[in-house]
Amino acid sequence: MCFLCDVKHSAWHSRRGFLQAAAGATALAVSTPLLAQVDVGKSSGLRNLVPAEELESASTQEYAKLLAEAKSQGALASAGNAQLQRLHAISKRLIPQAAQWNDRAKQWRWEVNLIGSKQINAFCMPGGKIAFYTGILDQLKLTDDEIAMIMGHEMAHALREHARARIAKSQGTGTLLSLGAQLLGLGQLGDLAANVGTELLTLRFSREDESDADLVGLELAARGGYNPQAAVSLWQKMAQAGGGAGGPGFLSTHPSGPQRIQELQANVPRVQGLYERARR
């Protein structure tokens, strides 16, 4: 839920109007594709308060640092790595489905890399920078269909620009309003996006964002020819892996639970036809 929607005091009305107008002038809204089978509504308008170009540039820099560190430790998978080739094969079927959810994805320089680590983790940063850790593949013994569900979910966070919206919200209305006329010229907002640094790797998305990414990712994977039922088996595996205090860090930002699994089960029939057509 947009945090501006609950503002009741009349003193906020003009400020809210200013924010909404600025958001519309800063960038074009990304709407739900007309042919979408899942119902997730429009992306948050607040994301437009943080310039996409600056955030994507920051993501590219942070991603490069992460890969350089992994390489220095001998943990970055080489091109001939069988697991990396498996990820590349899956991404080649999912990435062509991305542009219908965000037109900017046509210009993204998509990357998929694999890092040797026991961590159960995977992510897609703004601009299409994807990374998987070997721990999530090995410990959960994922099928290609289940990998596609994770990849689709993480791609959905980037396509729906959840990071832009979360960063805008985290700065608070006071900071945004104080920018005044600079807002429409980006001004300090560019610095804001460029300075988020490692926050891009540790952002905690809202429950609504997670649900959004689940459903969009489900559809991306189905359109790519991956069995949507795998979304259910994936999160069942996640729930089992999350038992006890030493559960995977992935679940601290992507909590599993009956409600999540039930929502996915309810949406599998919506994308089943897409999967069947893709498999023909």
Side-chain angles (χ1 to χ4, degrees), residues 19-34:
L19 284 170
Q20 292 172 336
T26 304
L28 293 174
V30 178
S31 301
T32 304
L34 293 177

Side-chain angles (χ1 to χ4, degrees), residues 1-2 28-34 36 38-48 101 159-162 165 208-209 212 216:
M1 179 74 68
C2 169
L28 293 174
V30 178
S31 301
T32 304
L34 293 177
V38 295
D39 183 12
V40 292
K42 293 183 178 181
S43 297
S44 170
L46 283 178
R47 74 195 188 288
N48 295 325
W101 289 95
L159 294 169
R160 298 284 283 173
E161 302 186 293
H162 291 155
E208 290 81 4
D209 288 343
D212 191 13
V216 173

Side-chain angles (χ1 to χ4, degrees), residues 44-261:
S44 170
L46 283 178
R47 74 195 188 288
N48 295 325
L49 295 170
V50 175
E53 296 85 354
E54 297 292 342
L55 188 58
E56 289 164 14
S57 175
S59 296
T60 298
Q61 294 175 37
E62 194 61 36
Y63 188 73
K65 290 179 185 177
L66 179 70
L67 297 186
E69 182 179 356
K71 187 174 182 179
S72 70
Q73 297 172 353
L76 185 64
S78 64
N81 181 282
Q83 287 185 319
L84 179 59
Q85 290 177 346
R86 188 180 175 200
L87 293 175
H88 282 168
I90 293 168
S91 70
K92 286 178 181 178
R93 289 164 59 175
L94 266 60
I95 291 172
Q97 319 304 325
Q100 69 159 328
W101 289 95
N102 188 328
D103 196 58
R104 291 187 59 79
K106 295 176 183 177
Q107 283 78 48
W108 288 355
R109 292 180 175 271
W110 292 90
E111 286 189 55
V112 182
N113 281 284
L114 177 65
I115 297 173
S117 170
K118 292 182 179 180
Q119 290 186 53
I120 294 181
N121 200 12
F123 62 81
C124 179
M125 298 174 78
K129 305 304 184 185
I130 300 171
F132 273 68
Y133 291 79
T134 54
I136 200 167
L137 303 176
D138 296 338
Q139 295 184 49
L140 299 186
K141 295 179 172 56
L142 299 177
T143 65
D144 284 1
D145 294 301
E146 290 167 344
I147 292 172
M149 295 304 152
I150 293 177
M151 191 178 291
H153 174 99
E154 297 305 323
M155 287 172 59
H157 277 308
L159 294 169
R160 298 284 283 173
E161 302 186 293
H162 291 155
R164 286 177 73 192
R166 297 304 295 171
I167 290 168
K169 290 178 183 179
S170 71
Q171 299 307 307
T173 54
T175 299
L176 295 174
L177 288 168
S178 70
L179 297 176
Q182 294 184 26
L183 185 62
L184 298 181
L186 302 184
Q188 296 175 15
L189 279 175
D191 296 332
L192 180 156
N195 292 330
V196 294
T198 55
E199 185 180 351
L200 289 168
L201 296 176
T202 58
L203 277 178
R204 289 177 179 268
F205 296 117
S206 68
R207 201 172 281 180
E208 290 81 4
D209 288 343
E210 286 299 319
S211 177
D212 191 13
D214 277 349
L215 300 186
V216 173
L218 177 70
E219 180 161 323
L220 284 170
R223 287 182 182 276
Y226 290 100
N227 190 342
Q229 191 61 40
V232 176
S233 62
L234 166 67
W235 287 102
Q236 288 171 338
K237 286 184 178 181
M238 286 288 187
Q240 293 171 358
F250 187 81
L251 290 180
S252 68
T253 52
H254 300 73
S256 181
Q259 185 175 357
R260 185 170 211 155
I261 293 172

